[in-house]
Amino acid sequence: MTLRLGDTAPNFQQQSSEGIIDFYEFLGDSWGILFSHPADYTPVCTTELGYTAKLKDEFERRGVKAIALSVDDVESHKGWINDINETQNTTVNFPIIADQDRKVSELYGFLHPNASETTTVRSLVIIDPNKKVRLIITYPASTGRNFNEILRVVDSLQLTDNHKVATPANWQQGEDVVIVPSLQDETELKERFPKGYKAVKPYLRLTPQPDKD
Ligand code: BEZ
């Protein structure tokens, strides 16, 4: 199956390091980050999962639940989690799906046979509270993902949903944002952006980040 932006993220039930997971039940009304990695006991993945565990407070602040996946089994995951905790100086605080039968990997397109015949690729999907897919990325096995960038994307998506703004290139928290082109009503513009905005071009309107003082 090819998953695309805007699709409904498919539900599934699968074994994990924390018991059987029903994905929708796990997500509840939260945002979700589902990320696959090639295999347990590999160096890059060890650092990625350790770093993700350290972002617990950042995920909670944004209403995001993280869940990892590989095609290794539960016992392997449990042993590896001990290694992650030890070497990355953290405590893994999210489930790792044990997708031995590749059911979830098939559903989410995490198998790229021309890259690897046996393991999942390094993909990540952001899912919103309506269960819509909002971001899909796939990295090479040898490149660890930038999880600060994932947080930045969540911030951007939440700003768009809540305030009708988008974020420009390399945007960081606190910097100006752009008003979505579809918003043209003068009354709504005044209500939403009391600090005003600068129209560099009619289609490029900059305004201070709305949820900052
Ligand atoms: C890994 O840690 O997953 C990895 C490291 C080097 C090459 C490919 C994968």
Side-chain angles (χ1 to χ4, degrees):
M1 170 169 169
T2 306
L3 202 65
R4 296 194 173 97
L5 297 188
D7 289 354
T8 299
N11 194 25
F12 58 81
Q13 292 81 34
Q14 186 57 293
Q15 290 287 349
S16 84
S17 55
E18 298 184 6
I20 290 186
I21 295 269
D22 177 285
F23 191 45
Y24 278 14
E25 266 181 33
F26 169 79
L27 289 175
D29 295 329
S30 299
W31 289 70
I33 291 177
L34 169 63
F35 61 111
S36 62
H37 55 268
D40 295 359
Y41 297 103
T42 51
V44 174
C45 309
T46 300
T47 62
E48 285 194 325
L49 271 71
Y51 194 79
T52 303
K54 289 179 183 166
L55 291 177
K56 182 174 188 284
D57 291 348
E58 297 294 335
F59 286 133
E60 277 179 6
R61 194 172 302 140
R62 293 163 173 84
V64 175
K65 286 184 151 186
I67 184 165
L69 173 150
S70 83
V71 295
D72 294 305
D73 65 24
V74 169
E75 285 317 303
S76 168
H77 285 351
K78 286 185 175 169
W80 183 42
I81 285 170
N82 291 335
D83 279 11
I84 298 168
N85 292 344
E86 178 196 325
T87 62
Q88 306 305 302
N89 196 25
T90 189
T91 302
V92 171
N93 42 44
F94 51 85
I96 308 176
I97 295 165
D99 197 35
Q100 269 186 293
D101 62 5
R102 293 162 165 72
K103 182 173 71 183
V104 182
S105 304
E106 294 281 3
L107 268 178
Y108 277 81
F110 292 159
L111 293 165
H112 294 203
N114 290 329
S116 169
E117 284 179 6
T118 53
T119 62
T120 36
V121 289
R122 203 178 290 290
S123 284
L124 183 148
V125 180
I126 295 180
I127 298 157
D128 73 16
N130 296 318
K131 310 288 184 290
K132 296 294 179 199
V133 173
R134 302 291 292 273
L135 173 86
I136 304 169
I137 57 165
T138 300
Y139 270 42
S142 51
T143 306
R145 287 158 286 200
N146 182 339
F147 286 83
N148 296 326
E149 168 65 2
I150 303 308
L151 291 177
R152 197 185 75 93
V153 176
V154 170
D155 287 343
S156 173
L157 290 167
Q158 294 184 346
L159 275 171
T160 304
D161 289 0
N162 297 332
H163 299 285
K164 294 197 180 180
V165 293
T167 53
N170 298 336
W171 171 83
Q172 296 291 338
Q173 275 291 335
E175 294 178 0
D176 283 357
V177 295
V178 297
I179 299 170
V180 295
S182 58
L183 179 47
Q184 294 294 334
D185 181 75
E186 282 301 329
T187 309
E188 189 177 351
L189 282 164
K190 281 200 182 86
E191 277 169 13
R192 284 190 174 276
F193 310 113
K195 292 177 190 156
Y197 62 88
K198 181 179 170 196
V200 182
K201 291 280 182 188
Y203 58 85
L204 176 55
R205 299 169 296 175
L206 294 168
T207 191
Q209 185 178 330
D211 60 350
K212 292 273 184 215
D213 293 335

